[in-house]
Amino acid sequence: MKLVLASGNRGKLREFREAFGQELLSMDEVLGEEPVIVEDAPDFAGNALIKARTIAERLGPDVIVIADDSGISVPLLDGAPGIYSARYAGEGASDRENLLKLVGELKKRGVKRTPAYYTAAIALVGGGIEQVVHGWMHGEVIDEPRGKKGFGYDPIFIPEGYDRTLGELDESIKAKISHRAKAIGLARPLIGLLQRKEERR
Ligand code: IMP
């Protein structure tokens, strides 16, 4: 049973492949183009399900589709950017523009660092089931980007228990502690179950 990641985000694909290996196919490998998906649910779980269902409908029953919807929330900013993380600086904004918008919001308030957390919702659709699991990573955001590792908001995020940003820390550390790693840890046994169920059919 094919395993497909419903995401065009190269950073996410890299992190998911570390967990599932090259067996995990990307959306462009199976579809050729990236479909336009309107993510209009009020939360991460709803948006992850929208993505997974849309791709699962296109690919048919012999595929397990994995979709991740994730983002960063800053309590000082009433939870922003939250589900709008990918378009915080506007529709089609780059990762860098979104990060600089968040830095600008901190600077406007004269805040050098403040608590923040990442959320990842992973939806699994296929083999007759729909499931969503979550993972979180807590820490702080700072008002100056540091380091080039990771992607998105990583250069301004310092995980709890560390004194460097995810842009500076080795990627093997993020792979152990991240919101996505935690959600993947919950998704993995479900995927194994689905694959075994399919083999018995
Ligand atoms: P999505 O692809 O619609 O789920 O949007 C995710 C948004 O949250 C993008 O702007 C990402 O840059 C950001 N994001 C999600 N996970 C991470 C992460 O692990 N590091 C940095 N940014 C992330």
Side-chain angles (χ1 to χ4, degrees):
M1 197 154 181
K2 272 193 209 145
L3 209 55
V4 174
L5 181 68
S7 174
N9 181 314
R10 308 312 296 177
K12 282 188 189 175
L13 182 63
R14 201 173 57 236
E15 291 186 9
F16 272 95
R17 279 206 168 134
E18 303 245 319
F20 292 105
Q22 297 304 315
E23 178 203 0
L24 179 68
L25 302 171
S26 70
M27 209 158 56
D28 24 309
E29 279 170 326
V30 286
L31 284 179
E33 95 286 16
E34 213 178 294
V36 178
I37 302 176
V38 182
E39 297 172 31
D40 55 2
D43 51 29
F44 293 109
N47 284 328
L49 270 173
I50 289 175
K51 288 188 233 186
R53 281 183 191 138
T54 309
I55 304 305
E57 275 163 20
R58 293 260 195 120
L59 296 177
D62 300 329
V63 174
I64 299 171
V65 179
I66 306 176
D68 156 299
D69 197 66
S70 47
I72 192 165
S73 304
V74 181
L76 177 83
L77 305 174
D78 298 325
I83 59 168
Y84 304 107
S85 294
R87 46 195 151 115
Y88 193 34
E91 212 55 61
S94 67
D95 272 10
R96 189 72 188 169
E97 287 164 340
N98 289 327
L99 172 146
L100 290 176
K101 160 90 175 149
L102 183 45
V103 164
E105 293 298 325
L106 300 184
K107 284 194 185 295
K108 235 195 262 175
R109 291 164 176 79
V111 169
K112 290 210 129 348
R113 52 197 290 166
T114 185
Y117 59 92
Y118 279 115
T119 304
I122 295 182
L124 302 175
V125 173
I129 67 127
E130 289 193 344
Q131 286 287 338
V132 184
V133 291
H134 285 90
W136 288 272
M137 170 167 52
H138 290 266
E140 288 184 309
V141 281
I142 58 171
D143 72 341
E144 297 288 349
R146 294 192 333 220
K148 294 202 174 337
K149 298 197 178 100
F151 66 97
Y153 298 89
D154 286 344
I156 56 168
F157 187 85
I158 301 180
E160 216 166 69
Y162 293 85
D163 56 9
R164 285 184 293 161
T165 70
L166 286 177
E168 298 170 307
L169 288 167
D170 199 273
E171 290 185 356
S172 62
I173 295 178
K174 184 179 179 193
K176 288 199 190 92
I177 63 170
S178 81
H179 48 314
R180 196 162 298 104
K182 289 174 192 156
I184 285 173
L186 296 171
R188 200 200 291 272
L190 285 172
I191 293 170
L193 214 70
L194 276 175
Q195 286 180 317
R196 286 196 297 278
K197 185 177 147 203
E198 189 57 27
E199 278 163 20
R200 286 198 300 269
R201 278 216 283 171

